[in-house]
Amino acid sequence: MNSDITDFASLAPAYPEMIISVGVLVLLLLGVFVNKERSALVSWLAIALLAGTALLTAFQNADGIVFNGLFMADSFGRFMKVLVLGSSALALVLAVSNAEENGVHKYEYSILAVLATLGMMIMVSTNDLMSLYIGLELQALSIYVMAAIKRDDPRASEAGLKYFVLGALSSGMLLYGASLIYGFTGHTNLQEIVRAIAIEGRSIGLIFGVVFVLAGIAFKISAVPFHMWTPDVYEGAPTPVTAFMAMAPKVAAMSLMIRLVVDAFSPITADWQQIVIFLSIASMVLAAFAAIGQKSLKRLIAYSSIGHVGFALVGLSSGSQVGVEGVAIYMAIYVLMSVGLFACILSLRTDKGYVESIEDLAGAAQTRPYVAAVMLIIMFSLIGLPPLAGFFAKWHVFLAAVEAGFFVLAVVGVLASAVSAYYYLRVVKTMYFDEPKHQFAAVPNELNIILGVSAFLLVTYYFILGNPLTSAAQTAAGSLF
């Protein structure tokens, strides 16, 4: 096979990934020469690298397929990569002010985060089952280590080990599915697979392959019934790592699922729709009821994230351009809410450490009114109350389901959203109506800024972000259809 790389300019679609690859090598060399006290320098440089690459990706207009069909750059990939890069940069900013307390003050942490981001960018731009697996594993291996980076904490070690074992199982399922798809179509390239299915039709072996591949990706987005690792790993991992895991990897895995089902499996839409509808309903319903009994704040957030994956899958279930557009908007707003939520948690530090249980938030409205007010806005947005951003996120995906004729799915989503209001409001009640139990330390400046910006954007979403985000999501979704 002749290479499609004729000169450096022909690599333009992959410039963002190349910049991250070179940048992470420079950061690694720099990290070796700085001492532990100056590891924050590596973190800020990593943040600058991710933010700069996000800007380049947003304004770069170099679509195309390179590396002999392994890698694709298009509007959908650009939209999702900006979300991934922005999420990773913000997750590192959240970690800087409290790095030592959370055990992430090693320069390796920032480098692992950048490597994981590189894997996610490959996942978003994958055009072949082989590049899909390479991106997925680069991301997963980095996050396994990040979850267990606080080596003297047994809970963090357990979280890392549990995530590794279950992650290896999901990778095995995905690989088995990929091998079945290759066996029954004769191709690993997504465009060749869709042609083969269109010509030869569906076979039982191919359907089994699709089921296994989607099961492997469902693990990565914590969709039920592949969610079992999420509460334990979220609770055991250091909070900055949990923040990282809750944002960028979910965006990347959701992008991967969208690209696979829309690009490669479009001739068998009715088959994959059944799988996605099941994942969506199971995630929304289980998360809504399982979160009610949680006392740990991070376990509650874990079940909340499972529920929100279910809501996002409502949009994908429609199999339409409007549905993919809804998922893109949903993931962008989900990232905004998650950034604010973890900034709130990392802003509430007592003399015994950071808040861990919902009871630890008692009376926070009296001792930290600013943080409590932002938390209240985020909780109302997570419920989906208008006119906050969370309402518009759910509006877009439910609208796509109704347009596709999936009325029952939309009704289940609305009911699950109503049930979830109970546990979100319990947090608000604890902050505003319970007697204070703790005195909280001063909030670092960078967290104050993130809190203010996230609350402002959630409240003014309709007037500031609504139109540009919808326009960008329409362009992104349009490139897939």
Side-chain angles (χ1 to χ4, degrees):
M1 182 182 290
N2 295 323
S3 173
D4 56 359
I5 301 170
T6 53
D7 53 22
F8 190 70
S10 63
L11 289 170
Y15 279 170
E17 285 76 9
M18 292 168 67
I19 291 171
I20 292 286
S21 303
V22 174
V24 77
L25 291 176
V26 173
L27 287 176
L28 187 58
L29 289 173
L30 185 65
V32 173
F33 290 103
V34 299
N35 54 33
K36 188 182 291 183
E37 286 70 27
R38 294 178 63 197
S39 62
L41 172 68
V42 178
S43 295
W44 283 114
L45 288 174
I47 292 165
L49 174 67
L50 294 170
T53 310
L55 282 175
L56 170 73
T57 306
F59 294 105
Q60 189 196 26
N61 189 21
D63 293 351
I65 298 175
V66 292
F67 304 123
N68 291 320
L70 291 172
F71 184 93
M72 169 188 281
D74 56 7
S75 298
F76 176 74
R78 261 197 303 283
F79 183 94
M80 289 302 186
K81 278 185 206 172
V82 170
L83 271 187
V84 165
L85 288 161
S87 309
S88 300
L90 286 169
L92 285 180
V93 173
L94 289 177
V96 169
S97 61
N98 48 67
E100 189 153 0
E101 295 94 327
N102 285 293
V104 295
H105 56 294
K106 309 169 181 75
Y107 73 87
E108 294 93 335
Y109 176 74
S110 304
I111 290 167
L112 286 167
V114 178
L115 277 173
T117 307
L118 176 61
M120 294 177 221
M121 293 170 74
I122 296 171
M123 287 165 63
V124 171
S125 274
T126 187
N127 193 42
D128 194 284
L129 295 178
M130 288 189 287
S131 55
L132 177 159
Y133 190 70
I134 291 170
L136 196 71
E137 285 306 295
L138 179 57
Q139 175 239 208
L141 289 170
S142 304
I143 298 179
Y144 297 151
V145 183
M146 288 169 71
I149 199 164
K150 199 173 179 182
R151 286 180 299 178
D152 54 351
D153 184 348
R155 290 196 312 167
S157 302
E158 181 189 340
L161 186 61
K162 195 172 283 185
Y163 191 32
F164 172 71
V165 172
L166 293 174
L169 177 66
S170 75
S171 294
M173 292 169 68
L174 190 143
L175 272 181
Y176 184 60
S179 65
L180 281 174
I181 291 171
Y182 174 70
F184 283 89
T185 63
H187 301 282
T188 56
N189 183 282
L190 302 192
Q191 288 146 0
E192 296 296 333
I193 289 172
V194 74
R195 286 194 198 100
I197 297 173
I199 294 169
E200 299 169 14
R202 61 199 284 277
S203 63
I204 191 69
L206 173 71
I207 300 300
F208 267 103
V210 173
V211 170
F212 275 105
V213 167
L214 293 184
I217 300 174
F219 176 90
K220 304 298 180 189
I221 58 174
S222 312
V224 176
F226 306 100
H227 67 289
M228 64 294 288
W229 60 275
T230 315
D232 293 342
V233 176
Y234 271 38
E235 186 179 31
T239 305
V241 179
T242 308
F244 184 86
M245 293 165 64
M247 295 189 286
K250 283 193 188 296
V251 174
M254 188 64 80
S255 310
L256 181 59
M257 182 177 271
I258 292 172
R259 193 179 284 286
L260 268 181
V261 297
V262 173
D263 267 5
F265 306 140
S266 54
I268 51 171
T269 298
D271 293 298
W272 65 254
Q273 270 181 323
Q274 295 176 40
I275 302 168
V276 174
I277 289 172
F278 169 74
L279 294 173
S280 175
I281 291 177
S283 301
M284 289 188 293
V285 173
L286 183 137
F289 288 99
I292 289 175
Q294 299 302 320
K295 294 180 180 175
S296 162
L297 197 53
K298 282 163 64 175
R299 289 184 77 86
L300 184 138
I301 292 172
Y303 281 108
S304 167
S305 76
I306 293 167
H308 283 282
V309 162
F311 290 122
L313 289 175
V314 170
L316 181 59
S317 302
S318 70
S320 65
Q321 182 177 335
V322 177
V324 173
E325 177 191 324
V327 179
I329 294 171
Y330 199 101
M331 295 313 292
I333 295 175
Y334 170 74
V335 165
L336 180 61
M337 293 189 292
S338 298
V339 168
L341 182 57
F342 281 100
C344 287
I345 294 172
L346 291 167
S347 298
L348 297 172
R349 184 162 62 88
T350 69
D351 53 352
K352 295 180 181 176
Y354 289 91
V355 293
E356 291 201 352
S357 68
I358 296 172
E359 287 182 357
D360 290 339
L361 297 171
Q366 297 175 40
T367 51
R368 287 287 165 207
Y370 173 58
V371 178
V374 174
M375 182 84 100
L376 177 141
I377 291 170
I378 292 168
M379 289 295 146
F380 283 177
S381 183
L382 287 167
I383 294 171
L385 294 182
L388 301 173
F391 167 76
F392 294 99
K394 291 181 179 174
W395 169 264
H396 284 286
V397 293
F398 291 159
L399 188 66
V402 170
E403 283 186 5
F406 296 145
F407 300 106
V408 175
L409 181 61
V411 170
V412 170
V414 172
L415 292 176
S417 193
V419 173
S420 71
Y422 173 81
Y423 59 82
Y424 290 127
L425 290 177
R426 186 155 61 98
V427 174
V428 176
K429 174 257 174 191
T430 306
M431 287 191 302
Y432 278 86
F433 297 104
D434 288 3
E435 288 299 317
K437 288 185 178 177
H438 303 291
Q439 285 297 322
F440 298 107
V443 181
N445 289 332
E446 57 268 28
L447 293 184
N448 269 326
I449 294 170
I450 292 176
L451 288 172
V453 172
S454 59
F456 176 75
L457 292 176
L458 288 175
V459 173
T460 62
Y461 171 82
Y462 180 77
F463 302 101
I464 295 180
L465 282 182
N467 283 334
L469 183 61
T470 304
S471 175
Q474 280 175 348
T475 307
S479 67
L480 293 179
F481 290 87

